[in-house]
Amino acid sequence: MDKKTGKPASAEQKPEVSATDVMLTTRPKEPPTRRAFLTGATSMLGAAAAHVLLAPFLGRAADVPGDPTRVPGGQATEYGQRSSFERVKRLTRPQRSRTPLQDLHGIITPSALHFERHHNGVPLIDPARHRLLVHGLVERPLLFTMDELKRFPATSRIVFVECSGNSGKEWKGPKGKTAQEIHGLTSTSEWTGVRLSTVLAEAGLTPGVTWMLAEGSDAAAMTRSLPLDRVLDEALLCYAQNGEPLRPEQGYPLRLLVPGFEGNTCIKWVRRLKLVSAPVMTREETSKYTDLMPDGTARQFTFDMEAKSVITAPSGGQRLKKPGYVEIRGLAWSGRGRVEKVEVSVDGGTSWRTAVLQAPVLSKCHTRFCLDWWWGGREAILQSRCIDETGYRQPTHQELVSVRGTNSYYHYNAIQSWKIDEEGIVSNVQV
Amino acid sequence: MSRCEGATNVAPVPSPLWWEGVRVRGGSVLLVLLVMAVAGPVDSWGTSKSGTFQLGRVATPEEIQAWDIDVAPNGEGLPAGRGTVKEGAQVFARHCAGCHGATGVEGPNPKLVGGQGTLASDHPLKTAGSYWPYATTLFDYIYRAMPFVAPQSLTSDQVYAVTAWILFRNGLLEKGDVLDRDTLPKVRMPHRHGFVPDSRPDVTRADSRETSASSLGEIDFPTSGAPEAQKPFLRGVLLLHNFEYDDAQVAF
């Protein structure tokens, strides 16, 4: 921000009417005459006309009026866009993008900023041609259109989805710089769809069925086997996210959602559910999403995302400008249920205080926490730890590594430490 | 058959009985009974005769066959066809070497050969030969998702052949071996018994609820001051009680 004008700074910005002048001018007692208006404010009128003509491009820095109360604003739009002043974005690689956790508020991740992970690109799918096949050990193999799936009773739930590879590089030391870079493969949305159990009941499960293979219609034909006894209660077949159809990178037009499970089990672009009596042992559940232990064995079907938290402010890459009040803010979540408590330390884990949990506190959902802090200008190490409703406490890095070594890559949920130096610069450390 | 519901982030509840639905939706059971007494039973709501929603249509065997491409460890789902190690070398050179290297280890994409004996080391190399528990998985993955730029473009014979070549390079097949739906499931993979079930929670136990709390304690009482001053005021009092005079001054 430019302190003098109170406006966001912009190199190109050359307001024709000085913002300072306009902002400080008191409202005239008499309405200006037409002549005075034309001569005194021709440039403002021009700016207003430009606004009307350029409605779709509203808000370019060059168009910003000195005083928005004196210029007609933009027109209504069919599909809203964020302010052009806002630049927060995902951190992308070809097959993944990370949510800017440190720049977001509340618990809902905007759909456009929800993290993504795909195994051979985002497919382009015409919903009118998309079908869901339910077959295998069922009484009636059924084929559903999207319209039919939407006719079933609908259920909505606000839950997080987290990639099991989130924070995975931290096994081998403090590698990432920002909350987004380290922990950005988790996001929360309101998801709407039909219960998986409802659709399976339509096809009729036969005795002996214990697992379900879910397959996507992307170029990886992504597949996972899921144990029915663990997914039937809560899994949804979703067609909507935050009130509108799924984003393409989230599985448009249809995805599986298994609350609390690692993200890759929530098969996107799902086209086929095959009911079986044993896991199919696909590539993803053997060679990829398995956790290598120090003795050379590998844990398999490690579905649950264990309790985790991260302080998003202050966090890596940010800077406290001067000593004084800081609201410590962060997110906590658990794939096993509700967050019961979050504790925060400003001395590297020597002492802890209970953070305030902001409503709503929902099962298997990001939960916002905060805590007052007065930074004294000295070096500090901030940490948060999540305790979920099962009583499980988020472990330290050492606790985690002492049991699992450093080669398992997935399911890293250790306490995040942010060091604040005397300059107020925040960086990622492990203590 | 589940019904329309109001539950959000709570554990699922059993489907309500019909009369519970009536009560929730709009009105009292009494009113419904009154209407029924006057006008007799009215079936405007209708019910399912089959116990299902009668949505979707039965899939034909041809429709199922077109998509049913998965292959199980016992070989179920393997298509007809066959391939030799020698043929596999040609398929690999043409369709795979560009990403995985001439002999499957040069990259740039993941190494396909080697790594046996490295899994417990500091630098484990996870390949089809060292890590994958089933040869059927290798076939399934190539058949459904490779080559990366043209998935599902190889014939069954080509997939059998290139699977054979990768297994041969890992020392798991002889040069003259042939793979088909009978021989592939019989290939013994070194890490076949190396997988164990999920044993988490394995690090911290469910006893942490008693271990810590706010070191300041908690207090709450009304004051006549401005509402925005209440939070720091209470904090200041807490800090005073904890002999944190400097911090208390900041809070006040």
Side-chain angles (χ1 to χ4, degrees), chain A residues 120 141 143 158 195 198 202 215 272 274 281 290 298-300 304 340 343 353 374 391 393 404, chain B residues 2 5 9 53-55 57 59 68 70 131 137 144 148 194 196 200 202 204 208-209 212 235 250:
Chain A
N120 196 356
L143 204 57
I158 305 173
R195 285 188 180 281
T198 301
E202 201 73 4
E215 181 181 84
R272 185 164 75 100
K274 183 180 187 179
M281 300 294 181
T290 48
R299 292 179 183 171
Q300 194 177 23
D304 300 281
E340 182 172 292
E343 295 175 326
R353 285 184 187 174
W374 279 264
R393 171 178 58 75
R404 300 190 203 160
Chain B
S2 70
E5 55 186 298
N9 282 50
F53 292 95
Q54 295 164 40
L55 292 170
R57 69 163 173 80
D68 190 11
D70 56 274
Y131 195 65
T137 306
R144 75 171 57 245
F148 197 73
V196 295
R200 298 172 306 152
D202 56 340
T204 60
S208 44
R209 260 181 275 210
S212 62
R235 187 177 163 77
V250 175

Side-chain angles (χ1 to χ4, degrees), chain A residues 95 119-121 131-135 140-145 148-149 151-159 172 195 197-198 201-202 213 215 218-223 233-234 271-272 274 276 279-288 290-306 325 327 336 340-341 343 351-354 362-365 370 372-374 385 387-396 399-400 403-404 407-408 410-411, chain B residues 1-13 50-61 63-74 76-77 110 118-128 130-134 136-138 140-142 144-152 191-218 231-232 235-236 239 242 244 247 250-252:
Chain A
Q95 297 193 11
H119 297 72
N120 196 356
R131 297 289 182 275
L132 176 71
L133 172 65
V134 181
H135 73 119
R140 301 168 292 280
L142 291 177
L143 204 57
F144 296 96
T145 65
E148 286 166 334
L149 290 167
R151 281 183 60 195
F152 281 109
T155 296
S156 294
R157 259 191 82 167
I158 305 173
V159 291
K172 295 181 187 286
R195 285 188 180 281
S197 57
T198 301
E202 201 73 4
L213 181 77
E215 181 181 84
D218 57 331
M222 176 79 183
T223 35
D233 278 352
E234 296 190 68
R271 73 171 184 182
R272 185 164 75 100
K274 183 180 187 179
V276 290
V280 176
M281 300 294 181
T282 69
R283 178 242 198 187
E284 311 302 335
E285 60 211 19
T286 55
S287 79
K288 288 294 156 189
T290 48
D291 312 348
L292 187 59
M293 294 292 114
D295 65 359
T297 64
R299 292 179 183 171
Q300 194 177 23
F301 301 117
T302 46
F303 295 122
D304 300 281
M305 298 308 298
E306 295 191 294
Y325 177 72
E327 185 180 57
R336 293 207 183 96
E340 182 172 292
K341 183 160 73 169
E343 295 175 326
S351 65
W352 298 86
R353 285 184 187 174
T354 303
L362 301 172
S363 178
K364 305 180 181 180
C365 184
C370 61
D372 293 333
W373 183 43
W374 279 264
R385 64 185 185 195
I387 295 153
D388 71 17
E389 65 174 302
T390 71
Y392 172 91
R393 171 178 58 75
Q394 186 182 358
T396 65
E399 285 174 323
L400 204 53
V403 175
R404 300 190 203 160
N407 287 330
S408 60
Y410 301 105
H411 294 287
Chain B
M1 174 172 162
S2 70
R3 303 177 181 221
C4 85
E5 55 186 298
T8 55
N9 282 50
V10 295
V13 292
S50 62
T52 68
F53 292 95
Q54 295 164 40
L55 292 170
R57 69 163 173 80
V58 172
T60 67
E63 286 168 335
I64 296 172
Q65 196 187 1
W67 282 359
D68 190 11
I69 58 173
D70 56 274
V71 176
N74 63 5
E76 206 172 305
T118 68
L119 295 182
S121 75
D122 287 342
H123 299 284
L125 177 59
K126 297 193 279 188
T127 72
S130 69
Y131 195 65
W132 294 39
Y134 303 100
T136 50
T137 306
L138 188 57
D140 176 279
Y141 183 63
I142 298 169
R144 75 171 57 245
M146 288 288 122
F148 197 73
V149 293
Q152 296 179 31
H191 201 53
R192 166 72 181 82
H193 298 290
F195 288 87
V196 295
D198 186 4
S199 54
R200 298 172 306 152
D202 56 340
V203 178
T204 60
R205 304 250 70 96
D207 59 359
S208 44
R209 260 181 275 210
E210 293 78 32
T211 57
S212 62
S214 167
S215 57
L216 285 182
E218 282 171 19
K231 203 170 156 187
R235 187 177 163 77
L239 286 163
N242 284 272
E244 301 280 359
D247 287 345
V250 175
F252 286 123

Side-chain angles (χ1 to χ4, degrees), chain B residues 142-207:
Chain B
I142 298 169
Y143 194 58
R144 75 171 57 245
M146 288 288 122
F148 197 73
V149 293
Q152 296 179 31
S153 63
L154 300 180
T155 65
S156 303
D157 286 350
Q158 287 176 311
V159 178
Y160 276 117
V162 79
T163 302
W165 186 82
I166 293 169
L167 294 172
F168 165 73
R169 293 291 304 173
N170 278 289
L172 304 174
L173 282 185
E174 300 296 328
K175 200 163 192 172
D177 282 345
V178 178
L179 284 186
D180 58 23
R181 59 174 24 149
D182 296 320
T183 55
L184 177 66
K186 297 193 178 86
V187 178
R188 303 309 299 173
M189 303 293 273
H191 201 53
R192 166 72 181 82
H193 298 290
F195 288 87
V196 295
D198 186 4
S199 54
R200 298 172 306 152
D202 56 340
V203 178
T204 60
R205 304 250 70 96
D207 59 359

Side-chain angles (χ1 to χ4, degrees), chain A residues 104 108-114 188-189 241-242:
Chain A
L104 301 181
I108 300 289
T109 311
S111 299
L113 294 174
H114 193 292
T188 285
S189 288
Q241 171 190 13
N242 296 332

